[in-house]
Amino acid sequence: MTEPVMAHGIEPILTVHNWLEAIAPWWTQGEQAGNFGDWLVPMLVNRALVAPVFPAETYWLLGSTIDEALVRRSVERLQLDGGRVAYWGCGARSAMALPPELMHRAAFFGVRGPLSRDALGLPMNTPLGDPGFLQPLLYDPLNHPQTLGRSLCVPHFAEPMGLDRLRERVSADVVLAPVVSDQIDVERMVDAIASADFVLAGSLHAAIIACAYRRPFAFMDCGFVDVPFKWQDLAALLGIEARFVGNVAEGRAWYEQVSSQIRRPKLLPLAMCCPWTMRASVIVGAAAQDCRQLGRDLADVDTLREVIRAGEQESGFVDMVQEGAANHYSSIKKQWRAGYQQGVQDIGDRLTALKAEWQDGHMQVLGRLAALGFRFAQGATLGFTQGSAGGAMLEGNWSPANEIGPVSCGQGCAIVLEAATGWHDLAELSLECWIFAPHQPPFSGERTVRAYLNHTQTYIHTWHNSGENESIPAILRLPLPDMLVQRGGPLRIEFHFDVHASPHQVGLRHDVREVGIVPLRLWGKIRQSSQQDE
């Protein structure tokens, strides 16, 4: 039997999209309910950045991701000798310094604020700022009907107080939890913040986005403040006191006192020190913003050239990239540099994506046609490869099938057999599959599989991994009770597991899916009564 690609830790299909997500992770990645601030990362990758130029295995592009435990976790997952983790505009979670062995494996391209810079012992000329301040260069917000001209409270993602109670407590017109699941949700949250006439922020990036779009804001404390150090760091960056307020009225009064003192960070040094190639439009936009902030006119090419050259020198980007390339990956390929190359690549990526979409749709049609004609009679076997009949009978969160089969992701993934397949003539179904059961905790080489037939549990077995691979080859024997057969109709075969963890969580690779099984073949044993009737 051919072993599935999954068992070797290689994705069936590697695309530009999932490659970038793998090397540039973010908090709450892969969760259905994600944190607004974390989800600014894919927006940065898609709208501001092109590709890495500093050689690292992992890039943290935003967030409060710098403390000993988190950095050590990232370093321990590095695969290459001498590999490094790159941080851009991230913030420390405390004033504690990192141990020398972690500093040696981490590369810092600017940090959120001066407190993070001092905690890490970085030079005084280190670029400061959070990448969230670049948001106005990436997205032009729309008027949000719910918050336009009204006060808005955005609590922390883990705020324990209910939204209705919080609204009464802080006297805000609107309270919106920073919970998002896709880029559309991120844009709507930015719309809400940019439309409000005041933002009371328990979410750090709600405050950053409000400041970036020049909306009045204040830091909120209603009994829960997540990581006070990061708020102090942001306040120090802006040149103001890190004061927290308990309601909108206090916040408005505080903002009136400090608004003239706020110093928004320069955007160009932050953009130029990024360990990825930055899109030219963002570079020019950052230069223009800095010029306006300094009262200069960006009306001619000479001024633009001067400002960008100064940004390069201030960011120290060229020296960092040369040092990294010389010490770690001498053979690194040149990345996109000029607008022409970028345009060609963008067009090529789009054509590749369109071709992949067409091929996927074509295979789905073939699979549905095959499913319509499939019958279990005469020993027929149902396959699950791309374009097969079995692939069209899947329900739930399955990955797209490749030449081996699909991957179940999470609980409740099911195979649904219509009555026309003749499943009711069978006494038993047999499913050949691979079961994800790596030797790392929490699996420890074991996985209990439960199968439900039309919502009734008919199968339970604990499989033990005695091999070296992360997956177990298995055949699940699923008896079909007489009562189930007599009812007829479709048959839903649903799979559940006792342990849930992704390959990323157990330290195997950057795959955040809760992998379950890979079905390969499904066949049945004809009932004796059905054979006699024939």
Side-chain angles (χ1 to χ4, degrees):
M1 182 194 311
T2 303
E3 184 177 342
V5 179
M6 181 195 72
H8 289 298
I10 303 174
E11 291 288 343
I13 300 176
L14 184 63
T15 67
V16 171
H17 178 71
N18 62 32
W19 171 66
L20 295 182
E21 284 192 355
I23 64 174
W26 64 90
W27 290 109
T28 68
Q29 184 178 17
E31 297 180 11
Q32 286 187 334
N35 180 26
F36 164 66
D38 305 334
W39 269 79
L40 294 174
V41 172
M43 182 174 283
L44 283 166
V45 170
N46 293 330
R47 303 186 185 184
L49 309 179
V50 180
V53 290
F54 179 84
E57 288 187 52
T58 302
Y59 302 83
W60 290 99
L61 303 178
L62 182 144
S64 304
T65 58
I66 304 173
D67 74 359
E68 181 174 351
L70 296 178
V71 175
R72 187 176 301 280
R73 186 184 307 168
S74 293
V75 168
E76 288 175 349
R77 291 173 178 172
L78 296 175
Q79 301 295 315
L80 300 177
D81 293 338
R84 299 178 78 179
V85 182
Y87 295 83
W88 176 52
C90 295
R93 299 174 70 86
S94 73
M96 296 280 293
L98 292 178
E101 69 271 16
L102 296 184
M103 289 293 293
H104 179 68
R105 303 295 297 276
F108 297 98
F109 295 84
V111 287
R112 178 182 291 145
L115 302 189
S116 292
R117 176 197 63 200
D118 296 344
L120 295 170
L122 300 177
M124 290 298 293
N125 64 350
T126 299
L128 302 179
D130 189 289
F133 282 101
L134 296 172
Q135 189 64 33
L137 304 179
L138 312 180
Y139 178 67
D140 188 13
L142 304 174
N143 288 335
H144 193 289
Q146 194 175 356
T147 66
L148 183 61
R150 308 177 74 190
S151 60
L152 168 65
C153 173
V154 183
H156 186 265
F157 180 73
E159 170 62 52
M161 192 181 304
L163 297 186
D164 292 338
R165 183 184 171 196
L166 183 63
R167 181 175 177 273
E168 295 178 1
R169 174 80 172 269
V170 303
S171 299
D173 295 326
V174 181
V175 176
L176 292 179
V179 178
V180 299
S181 58
D182 54 34
Q183 290 295 290
I184 299 299
D185 289 347
V186 175
E187 292 180 359
R188 296 296 81 79
M189 181 60 72
V190 174
D191 292 341
I193 294 172
S195 297
D197 72 348
F198 181 80
V199 178
L200 186 61
S203 159
L204 184 78
H205 278 93
I208 289 173
I209 295 301
C211 184
Y213 283 97
R214 300 182 180 272
R215 309 310 302 159
F217 66 94
F219 303 161
M220 181 183 76
D221 181 2
C222 287
F224 175 76
V225 176
D226 180 64
V227 190
F229 185 84
K230 70 181 183 182
W231 295 91
Q232 298 163 3
D233 197 23
L234 174 61
L237 170 70
L238 300 177
I240 58 176
E241 177 188 1
R243 179 184 167 190
F244 294 87
V245 300
N247 57 56
V248 170
E250 291 180 15
R252 289 186 189 272
W254 173 82
Y255 185 81
E256 289 181 4
Q257 295 175 3
V258 304
S259 59
S260 61
Q261 306 170 23
I262 294 177
R263 302 189 311 270
R264 292 171 178 82
K266 290 183 180 180
L267 299 184
L268 189 58
L270 178 65
M272 295 300 297
C273 78
C274 181
W276 290 41
T277 301
M278 185 75 63
R279 293 181 185 271
S281 59
V282 178
I283 294 292
V284 174
Q289 180 66 28
D290 288 355
C291 282
R292 283 193 293 269
Q293 192 162 317
L294 296 173
R296 298 185 60 184
D297 183 18
L298 193 63
D300 59 80
V301 175
D302 291 337
T303 302
L304 174 62
R305 185 181 298 111
E306 177 187 344
V307 170
I308 292 181
R309 184 180 295 117
E312 287 179 335
Q313 294 175 351
E314 187 171 345
S315 67
F317 170 73
V318 174
D319 292 339
M320 290 185 193
V321 172
Q322 290 177 346
E323 181 269 336
N327 291 343
H328 301 286
Y329 304 99
S330 60
S331 62
I332 186 173
K333 294 182 179 180
K334 292 182 179 179
Q335 305 296 334
W336 298 279
R337 296 288 188 180
Y340 172 77
Q341 291 174 310
Q342 179 180 323
V344 170
Q345 184 64 43
D346 287 346
I347 292 172
D349 291 346
R350 181 57 182 157
L351 290 174
T352 300
L354 289 173
K355 181 179 179 181
E357 290 175 7
W358 181 87
Q359 289 177 335
D360 183 59
H362 178 66
M363 297 304 289
Q364 288 184 14
V365 171
L366 292 178
R368 289 170 183 166
L369 290 174
L372 290 175
F374 179 83
R375 304 292 184 271
F376 278 107
Q378 299 178 351
T381 298
L382 186 66
F384 295 90
T385 56
Q386 189 178 26
S388 66
M393 299 180 184
L394 303 178
E395 287 189 5
N397 189 19
W398 297 84
S399 73
N402 62 357
E403 67 277 5
I404 303 298
V407 178
S408 72
C409 306
Q411 297 283 49
C413 293
I415 302 169
V416 180
L417 306 176
E418 296 295 336
T421 62
W423 70 266
H424 51 272
D425 293 330
L426 306 177
E428 181 184 76
L429 284 167
S430 297
L431 177 66
E432 181 183 3
C433 61
W434 287 89
I435 301 171
F436 182 66
H439 294 282
Q440 293 84 350
F443 298 99
S444 301
E446 293 186 354
R447 198 76 183 272
T448 299
V449 183
R450 290 179 171 85
Y452 291 77
L453 303 186
N454 286 352
H455 309 293
T456 299
Q457 180 177 311
T458 59
Y459 176 90
I460 180 171
H461 185 74
T462 299
W463 292 85
H464 301 275
N465 190 348
S466 58
E468 298 181 356
N469 293 327
E470 64 190 45
S471 300
I472 306 170
I475 296 180
L476 278 55
R477 307 290 186 184
L478 308 176
L480 299 176
D482 292 339
M483 183 178 297
L484 190 68
V485 172
Q486 292 169 5
R487 291 175 183 171
L491 176 64
R492 179 182 179 86
I493 311 169
E494 189 171 303
F495 302 98
H496 290 262
F497 306 91
D498 60 332
V499 178
H500 317 291
S502 68
H504 179 71
Q505 290 172 320
V506 302
L508 290 175
R509 58 184 181 277
H510 286 293
D511 184 346
V512 298
R513 304 172 303 180
E514 291 184 352
V515 175
I517 67 170
V518 177
L520 305 177
R521 297 187 305 134
L522 179 69
W523 66 93
K525 177 181 178 183
I526 302 294
R527 286 176 174 268
Q528 292 184 354
S529 59
S530 298
Q531 292 174 335
Q532 293 172 359
D533 292 342
E534 292 177 0

